[in-house]
Amino acid sequence: MVDLLLVEDNLELADLICTFLKKDGFSIINVDSGEKAVEFFEDNVAKIVLLDIMLPGIDGFTVCSSIRENHNTPIIIMSAKVDKEDKINGFALGADDYIEKPVDVDILSAKISALMKRNYELKAKRTIVNSGAISINKEAKEVYLNGKMLNMTTKEFELLLLFVENPGKALKKDYIFNKIWGSESFSEDQTLTVHVKMLRDKIEDNPKKPKRILTQWGVGYKYEEI
């Protein structure tokens, strides 16, 4: 996936922006018309779109609307059109930011970095949960132990995630059961015991002497990060 799609028909300005942003470490592709921008998104994806408004053929507002129909890609409008109505229209069509021409490339780079962090870096941190030797990808529903992916059922995954997100806390059996199976479930309490045993078989070095999922007698279970 390319970092940036620049939609700009002024080739001199496009070269300047591309040169500067490449020096800042961004990968970038430039197209010089709205039609080419729409075609790009038929088979490709960019992390951020830098979009001029006054383009040959379909204008930037139309491109913005077209992209937003199928993609959540952040869009920064760059335009010499500085009227309040134009800015309002751009935001109404789904633009994330609006920068006036002539473009200050330092400010543009700062805006791009902020969008990258907010939309990709922070999202990735929210998606991945690390707990010692265990790593959980919540979006992909994958669990890794020492870098090796484990095969888990949906309930095993949900149960482990609940433990990992509550390290050091003694969780009551009723609380765990209701969180995973629901208060209206007809499953028996023994179901939790069985699933804890299956989890221990997969994540403990010695399931008979667990160090991660500990039994709290008279309460429930406590997860320790190792």
Side-chain angles (χ1 to χ4, degrees), residues 67-154:
I67 293 174
R68 192 53 76 235
E69 285 180 2
N70 299 301
H71 301 277
N72 291 321
T73 305
I75 298 171
I76 299 177
I77 288 179
M78 307 181 304
S79 179
K81 296 170 72 69
V82 298
D83 291 343
K84 177 179 175 181
E85 289 75 14
D86 290 318
K87 293 181 179 181
I88 291 174
N89 189 32
F91 288 123
L93 292 172
D96 295 85
D97 209 336
Y98 199 110
I99 186 168
E100 297 178 6
K101 289 184 175 180
V103 174
D104 184 314
V105 287
D106 288 309
I107 292 177
L108 177 61
S109 182
K111 287 178 177 289
I112 291 169
S113 296
L115 279 174
M116 284 286 190
K117 183 174 183 179
R118 184 163 66 247
N119 287 274
Y120 299 102
E121 295 176 26
L122 294 181
K123 182 179 179 181
K125 289 179 181 178
R126 290 193 296 268
T127 299
I128 304 299
V129 179
N130 293 308
S131 176
I134 293 175
S135 179
I136 300 177
N137 186 321
K138 294 198 290 186
E139 185 173 350
K141 297 190 182 306
E142 295 174 344
V143 177
Y144 295 83
L145 177 61
N146 294 317
K148 182 179 179 181
M149 189 167 75
L150 304 178
N151 291 320
M152 289 202 170
T153 66
T154 299

Side-chain angles (χ1 to χ4, degrees), residues 10-11 21 34 55 62 80 99 107 121 123 135 162 177 184:
N10 183 322
L11 297 183
L21 294 178
L55 296 166
T62 304
I99 186 168
I107 292 177
E121 295 176 26
K123 182 179 179 181
S135 179
L162 178 64
F177 189 85
E184 303 301 321

Side-chain angles (χ1 to χ4, degrees), residues 17-226:
I17 292 174
C18 287
T19 299
F20 185 89
L21 294 178
K22 284 178 181 178
K23 287 182 180 179
D24 276 3
F26 299 109
S27 59
I28 184 168
I29 291 175
N30 175 229
V31 295
D32 59 7
S33 72
E35 286 84 357
K36 290 179 181 178
V38 173
E39 289 174 4
F40 175 90
F41 271 91
E42 291 177 358
D43 300 306
N44 304 279
V45 180
K47 291 182 179 178
I48 294 176
V49 177
L50 309 177
L51 179 60
D52 184 25
I53 293 301
M54 300 174 69
L55 296 166
I58 62 175
D59 66 17
F61 290 132
T62 304
V63 174
C64 182
S65 179
S66 176
I67 293 174
R68 192 53 76 235
E69 285 180 2
N70 299 301
H71 301 277
N72 291 321
T73 305
I75 298 171
I76 299 177
I77 288 179
M78 307 181 304
S79 179
K81 296 170 72 69
V82 298
D83 291 343
K84 177 179 175 181
E85 289 75 14
D86 290 318
K87 293 181 179 181
I88 291 174
N89 189 32
F91 288 123
L93 292 172
D96 295 85
D97 209 336
Y98 199 110
I99 186 168
E100 297 178 6
K101 289 184 175 180
V103 174
D104 184 314
V105 287
D106 288 309
I107 292 177
L108 177 61
S109 182
K111 287 178 177 289
I112 291 169
S113 296
L115 279 174
M116 284 286 190
K117 183 174 183 179
R118 184 163 66 247
N119 287 274
Y120 299 102
E121 295 176 26
L122 294 181
K123 182 179 179 181
K125 289 179 181 178
R126 290 193 296 268
T127 299
I128 304 299
V129 179
N130 293 308
S131 176
I134 293 175
S135 179
I136 300 177
N137 186 321
K138 294 198 290 186
E139 185 173 350
K141 297 190 182 306
E142 295 174 344
V143 177
Y144 295 83
L145 177 61
N146 294 317
K148 182 179 179 181
M149 189 167 75
L150 304 178
N151 291 320
M152 289 202 170
T153 66
T154 299
K155 292 303 181 187
E156 288 172 352
F157 176 86
E158 292 174 354
L159 183 58
L160 178 60
L161 182 60
L162 178 64
F163 281 137
V164 168
E165 291 186 329
N166 292 275
K169 296 179 182 179
L171 303 180
K172 294 182 178 181
K173 287 185 177 181
D174 287 347
Y175 173 81
I176 298 171
F177 189 85
N178 290 338
K179 277 286 187 180
I180 304 304
W181 285 273
S183 59
E184 303 301 321
S185 173
F186 292 103
S187 297
E188 298 179 359
D189 290 345
Q190 187 66 18
T191 299
L192 174 58
T193 303
V194 171
H195 278 76
V196 168
K197 180 184 182 302
M198 292 190 297
L199 265 184
R200 283 172 171 165
D201 287 341
K202 294 180 179 181
I203 68 172
E204 300 283 4
D205 295 331
N206 183 352
K208 293 183 179 180
K209 295 182 179 180
K211 294 183 178 180
R212 290 189 172 92
I213 303 177
L214 308 179
T215 299
Q216 297 292 103
W217 298 109
V219 180
Y221 300 96
K222 180 173 70 171
Y223 174 82
E224 295 291 348
E225 183 178 286
I226 64 170

